[in-house]
Amino acid sequence: MPAHEIITVTADSSDDPLARERAHLFASRAALRAMREDIENLDIKDVTANWVNAVVLTAQIEDRIKALADLSHTPLFFGRLDYLHTVGAEDAEGTPGENFYIGRRHVHDADGDPMVIDWRAPVSQPFYRASKKDPQDVGLRRRFGYTSGELTAYEDEHLSDPSDADDPLTSKLLQAEIERPRVGPMRDIVATIQPEQDEIVRSGLAGSVCVQGGPGTGKTAVGLHRVAYLLYAHRERLARTGTLVIGPNKSFLHYIEQVLPALGELEVKQATVDDLVTSGEGAGIEILGTDETSAASVLKGDARMAEVLRRAVRSHVTLPEEGLVVVRGSRRWRVAVYELEELVRELLDRDIRYGAAREALPQRISHQVLVRMEQAGEAPDDRVQDAVARNPAVKAAVKAIWPPVDPAKLVLRLLSDAEFLAAHAEGVLSEEEQAAVLWTKPARSVRSVKWSSADAVLIDEARDLVARTHSLGHVVLDEAQDLSPMQYRAVGRRCSTGSATVLGDLAQGTTPWATGSWAEALGHLGKPDAVVEELTAGFRVPRDVIAYASRLLPYMSPGLAPVSSVRESPGAMSVTRVAQGADLDAAVVAACEEALRHEGSIGLIAADARIPVLAGALGAAGHVPLSPGEETTASSRLTLVPASLAKGLEYDYVVLDEPAAIVAGEPDERTGLRRLYVALTRAVSGLSVRHAEELPEALTT
């Protein structure tokens, strides 16, 4: 019997096995509909004591109804496992000969018996990891093929068959699913998760994981599916602590935003680093400007700025110069200056957050007064201590010794007052570096500042020095290679008591402060013990395309292993130089029109400076291109993508305009080659390169 046996059905087929599978799909959809109707028909009047409970329960019910939605074009189940024996003596979920249908969410019938098992359940794990060498008690693994949501084929893999144990044959249905044209936002990969990916997805909540993966290795999908798995395995805990997905820009977040809802997870928030540092209680700033030079951005993102800020915050503390007298009734209680100084030094030595120490100081002073009272024969209680802490003399002393600090005003002063910066950057930043971060035209007030992204991160650091940042249970950080050390610190504060999944590719670092190594990055994140996993098998980029792009690796990221594409189809690829005197814009438009003859999405990627010109050329030819993040439709499948926004996106066919212009658009050649590497590897089915200038030397060797 062959290792992979595929049965396909046509409209008039009467094949009994496929008819039974279709019947199970029909019954499962009916069961899911019944589950949803049961929730919709709940009467909350009898179970809510007040309107607050009613509002909370109504919101929970609405979320549950959304989670149980039956998406017509999304298969309810995609696989089946036939076990040889009982699944487990302890849980006894199965019996000899029983099978389990594996899908995106759990579905049960009216009696509570499972009709579809959630892909995250332990019993589903062998669907991704079982093999002939290690069948994990699975006799048969069946994959299903769908067309527009209708079950049209299935493929069997007999894992208990001892013959061809080393058969490397790839599943045809799995291959077809991987190579299916991309239209619209990113979709889940729950039906195609590979064993090495599944190990990362199911890793525990307690530990942090860093995934190094080249283009098309599925690292983003792995990170999103890990969130879905953790929510399944630790739902109550993460419901309390929260989860967050951090992406590089809004276009990227829009592209991935439907993956988790398709898996039934609606509570995961998404944000960029800029969103993190400008939102939330106490933020109150907007990013409206940019740094004057890239050198300023690099220095502001340097981890040394954390020490400069720490010194600047602590500089507001002034040791007392005189004692304190507290009047209560007819009695006066004195706290000597040396006692106040001891209290202040103790708090400074403990190195707790500025705001927490400021709140502790009046209580420490009050305690000294209560000791005097007890020595005088009085018996004060906690109410007396609180009253003394609120005494005007105590409050005035605290304000003079430990005044409040406004993080934004502090950063404003650091970046505009050379003397203040020099006082706190001595031995940390050189004079030249201090001059680089200072504004040439200082703003008069916080409200008049046009803060840059790097400025906002500094304010966030200062805010955390004053009051602890709230920590989430789990954070996914994608395209992490582009973060500065200070941005890593900002993200790390959001998961200081939780865990993180860090996703990235060192070869795709395109910022001046791009990460040099994961060990360094994880240290700044506060997760130095995170496990680093590497994905090298590519499932998205055709082998010819990834081989062409990999020519750049020795020039920009020596030492990184190139991605090895597992796709059977090599992909369509052409590199064409436009003849001297010919119209490059017209050649690019023609390449787009050629790509539009194929099914799927089309991305025209070009240097940012070329975007207006190409938009005009496309418009003159009757095409109205989409912008990154806009959803493609049947009538509009062409997206015009600036190279700076291409990271993380994918298109069936990519037309790449003038590689030399993409390289020249960056501050240095290495960053330019990395930007080009990103642009070249956005293609899923085919790549067409059109250029008038000479190609970068790395591509011609």
Side-chain angles (χ1 to χ4, degrees):
M1 183 178 293
H4 297 270
E5 178 185 5
I6 303 177
I7 295 91
T8 306
V9 69
T10 58
D12 59 351
S13 175
S14 59
D15 183 84
D16 286 341
L18 193 54
R20 287 195 296 270
E21 301 294 13
R22 283 178 160 176
H24 188 79
L25 175 61
F26 180 81
S28 298
R29 289 194 183 281
L32 179 61
R33 186 165 55 251
M35 291 170 62
R36 190 168 61 253
E37 290 172 352
D38 287 344
I39 300 296
E40 291 172 339
N41 294 331
L42 284 176
D43 187 354
I44 66 172
K45 294 180 181 178
D46 296 333
V47 296
T48 54
N50 53 58
W51 70 270
V52 175
N53 291 345
V55 170
V56 172
L57 186 56
T58 299
Q60 292 175 340
I61 288 174
E62 290 176 352
D63 287 344
R64 180 61 177 161
I65 291 171
K66 292 177 183 177
L68 291 173
D70 186 3
L71 308 177
S72 59
H73 292 286
T74 302
L76 193 56
F77 56 80
F78 47 81
R80 194 183 96 184
L81 291 176
D82 290 5
Y83 278 87
L84 295 171
H85 305 98
T86 303
V87 170
E90 294 181 1
D91 54 22
E93 282 194 65
T95 58
E98 189 172 6
N99 54 52
F100 295 90
Y101 288 84
I102 313 301
R104 286 168 171 76
R105 58 176 60 82
H106 176 86
V107 179
H108 60 255
D109 62 17
D111 297 324
D113 295 326
M115 300 189 71
V116 179
I117 301 292
D118 195 300
W119 67 276
R120 298 166 287 189
V123 73
S124 303
Q125 182 171 311
F127 183 79
Y128 302 106
R129 298 197 191 181
S131 65
K132 285 201 169 186
K133 290 184 177 180
D134 181 20
Q136 302 187 20
D137 209 31
V138 174
L140 179 141
R141 173 167 51 204
R142 174 169 289 181
R143 300 182 190 274
F144 296 103
Y146 288 83
T147 302
S148 299
E150 293 297 321
L151 199 162
T152 55
Y154 68 85
E155 173 188 83
D156 284 343
E157 187 177 0
H158 299 272
L159 300 180
S160 59
D161 185 354
S163 63
D164 300 324
D166 297 322
D167 180 15
L169 185 63
T170 302
S171 162
K172 299 298 182 183
L173 288 182
L174 187 150
Q175 193 75 31
E177 172 65 17
I178 290 173
E179 299 185 7
R180 181 159 57 93
R182 267 73 167 163
V183 178
M186 180 181 180
R187 61 176 184 263
D188 65 72
I189 62 164
V190 67
T192 61
I193 295 173
Q194 299 300 293
E196 64 274 16
Q197 296 173 325
D198 190 63
E199 290 183 11
I200 299 172
V201 167
R202 296 177 191 266
S203 55
L205 177 61
S208 294
V209 178
C210 175
V211 182
Q212 158 66 39
T217 55
K219 56 185 179 294
T220 296
V222 165
L224 295 175
H225 286 67
R226 186 178 184 218
V227 171
Y229 172 77
L230 292 175
L231 286 168
Y232 175 87
H234 308 277
R235 188 166 301 280
E236 290 187 7
R237 177 177 172 183
L238 290 177
R240 295 192 306 270
T241 57
T243 53
L244 176 69
V245 174
I246 302 173
N249 52 57
K250 296 291 186 182
S251 297
F252 176 84
L253 293 178
H254 179 75
Y255 177 64
I256 68 171
E257 67 183 357
Q258 293 304 317
V259 173
L260 289 168
L263 298 173
E265 300 299 343
L266 307 171
E267 299 301 318
V268 181
K269 292 181 172 57
Q270 299 181 349
T272 64
V273 173
D274 285 352
D275 293 333
L276 290 184
V277 299
T278 58
S279 62
E281 185 177 353
I285 63 167
E286 292 184 82
I287 296 174
L288 299 174
T290 57
D291 289 306
E292 296 174 356
T293 64
S294 61
S297 295
V298 172
L299 283 168
K300 290 177 183 179
D302 194 303
R304 291 177 295 165
M305 289 301 298
E307 174 61 19
V308 175
L309 288 165
R310 190 188 73 85
R311 293 179 182 182
V313 169
R314 288 168 63 94
S315 72
H316 289 75
V317 179
T318 304
L319 291 177
E321 296 180 352
E322 58 184 20
L324 172 66
V325 178
V326 176
V327 179
R328 279 187 59 82
S330 61
R331 303 293 299 270
R332 291 172 176 265
W333 307 98
R334 294 183 180 277
V335 181
V337 63
Y338 78 88
E339 292 177 299
L340 290 176
E341 185 174 332
E342 287 179 358
L343 295 177
V344 172
R345 290 191 183 280
E346 179 198 357
L347 289 171
L348 286 172
D349 290 343
R350 290 183 61 191
D351 202 24
I352 60 178
R353 281 173 170 77
Y354 187 91
R358 187 173 187 274
E359 292 176 1
L361 182 57
Q363 292 294 331
R364 299 295 178 88
I365 296 173
S366 180
H367 177 72
Q368 293 292 331
V369 174
L370 261 65
V371 170
R372 303 281 194 281
M373 291 180 177
E374 291 172 346
Q375 291 172 344
E378 296 188 16
D381 56 17
D382 290 344
R383 289 175 297 178
V384 175
Q385 179 165 344
D386 290 340
V388 172
R390 295 193 300 270
N391 183 278
V394 174
K395 292 171 68 174
V398 170
K399 184 176 181 180
I401 297 169
W402 215 293
V405 171
D406 182 303
K409 289 181 179 178
L410 176 76
V411 173
L412 169 63
R413 187 179 177 189
L414 268 178
L415 299 180
S416 57
D417 185 336
E419 291 185 4
F420 186 68
L421 175 62
H424 305 301
E426 184 179 358
V428 179
L429 300 179
S430 67
E431 292 183 1
E432 292 77 12
E433 290 173 327
Q434 293 175 35
V437 299
L438 281 169
W439 291 328
T440 55
K441 295 181 179 179
R444 293 183 177 180
S445 67
V446 169
R447 290 189 176 183
S448 64
V449 178
K450 291 186 177 180
W451 301 107
S452 69
S453 293
D455 296 335
V457 175
L458 294 179
I459 295 172
D460 189 70
E461 179 83 26
R463 193 182 303 122
D464 184 71
L465 288 166
V466 174
R468 182 182 296 275
T469 303
H470 173 68
S471 175
L472 300 167
H474 191 76
V475 168
V476 174
L477 174 61
D478 206 351
E479 300 296 346
Q481 72 280 344
D482 277 337
L483 268 61
S484 71
M486 292 297 286
Q487 287 176 318
Y488 276 115
R489 290 175 61 88
V491 174
R493 289 191 282 276
R494 271 73 183 182
C495 57
S496 59
T497 60
S499 56
T501 300
V502 180
L503 313 167
D505 179 12
L506 296 177
Q508 296 186 58
T510 52
T511 55
W513 49 81
T515 299
S517 72
W518 290 123
E520 177 187 348
L522 293 170
H524 293 309
L525 190 69
K527 306 294 181 185
D529 297 328
V531 176
V532 180
E533 304 280 359
E534 186 171 9
L535 298 175
T536 58
F539 302 96
R540 173 174 58 80
V541 185
R543 63 173 63 129
D544 287 357
V545 175
I546 194 64
Y548 184 70
S550 294
R551 295 181 185 180
L552 300 174
L553 286 177
Y555 296 85
M556 62 185 196
S557 297
L560 276 185
V563 172
S564 177
S565 178
V566 301
R567 297 187 59 168
E568 293 188 356
S569 59
M573 180 175 160
S574 64
V575 180
T576 304
R577 183 170 187 177
V578 177
Q580 187 174 3
D583 189 345
L584 175 61
D585 300 344
V588 169
V589 171
C592 291
E593 291 173 340
E594 175 65 27
L596 284 167
R597 295 176 186 152
H598 299 282
E599 182 184 1
S601 56
I602 314 299
L604 170 54
I605 303 178
D608 291 32
R610 288 271 295 156
I611 293 298
V613 175
L614 293 174
L618 289 170
H623 301 286
V624 182
L626 302 169
S627 298
E630 288 189 84
E631 192 166 337
T632 58
T633 64
S635 59
S636 185
R637 297 182 289 122
L638 175 61
T639 303
L640 181 56
V641 188
S644 62
L645 295 181
K647 192 171 296 180
L649 305 180
E650 61 181 25
Y651 301 93
D652 281 290
Y653 288 86
V654 166
V655 176
L656 185 67
D657 170 80
E658 199 61 271
I662 293 176
V663 176
E666 300 298 328
D668 58 80
E669 185 182 27
R670 189 190 74 161
T671 304
L673 291 176
R674 288 183 170 184
R675 185 75 72 187
L676 177 58
Y677 180 74
V678 171
L680 287 169
T681 53
R682 300 305 94 198
V684 173
S685 298
L687 171 69
S688 297
V689 179
R690 297 294 181 268
H691 65 105
E693 299 180 34
E694 292 285 347
L695 290 173
E697 182 182 355
L699 287 179
T700 61
T701 56

